Amino acid sequence: MASAGTVLDALGDASRRHILERLADGPLPVGVLAEQLPISRPAVSQHLRALKQAELVVESTAGTRRLYRIHPAGLEALRGYLDGLWSTTLNNLAALAEAEAASDAASGKGDPTCHRNRPPRSSSAAP
């Protein structure tokens, strides 16, 4: 399976991201990809090689043409990395919010802009 670092490195190039976006709609040959991008056919081939090394793209043969399509292994590596990063970030945010709430409660202070720290409005007051 591809490493997240390899996948991120491969996706660091805008042309490679564009190629991957084109392949999201289904398999395509190099010639069609080259027609859809502002780069030469040899450049598309070089980018496809890098995407294959990162396990983002696989090739198959259909007659005399090679078709390229997205390979889920590379995307799984990227998703696993991002899911882990997201989970860690949410856990850290929750811990920070709990620590701040505990600190505010211990000091008797609250956020004056927070609606929980304001006295309730009377029913006759306009909103």
Side-chain angles (χ1 to χ4, degrees):
M1 184 189 225
S3 73
T6 302
V7 172
L8 289 168
D9 286 345
L11 293 176
D13 184 280
S15 294
R16 293 181 193 145
R17 290 191 305 273
H18 291 301
I19 289 170
L20 202 63
E21 290 165 4
R22 300 298 190 284
L23 294 175
D25 293 330
L28 292 171
V30 175
V32 172
L33 286 167
E35 290 171 1
Q36 296 177 356
L37 298 166
I39 56 177
S40 68
R41 185 177 174 144
V44 171
S45 293
Q46 288 177 347
H47 288 301
L48 283 167
R49 192 172 316 120
L51 291 169
K52 281 173 41 180
Q53 290 173 346
E55 296 184 36
L56 286 165
V57 169
V58 292
E59 80 180 67
S60 59
T61 305
T64 60
R65 297 189 329 174
R66 291 183 181 164
L67 296 176
Y68 295 86
R69 64 179 171 82
I70 291 179
H71 184 36
L75 294 179
E76 288 171 9
L78 181 61
R79 181 173 182 170
Y81 171 77
L82 293 175
D83 284 348
L85 189 61
W86 182 250
S87 178
T88 300
T89 301
L90 288 179
N91 290 337
N92 289 338
L93 181 61
L96 178 63
E98 289 172 8
E100 285 183 3
S103 175
D104 288 348
S107 68
K109 296 179 186 175
D111 182 355
T113 62
C114 180
H115 71 279
R116 290 178 286 162
N117 296 324
R118 288 189 216 134
R121 292 182 184 173
S122 67
S123 59
S124 63

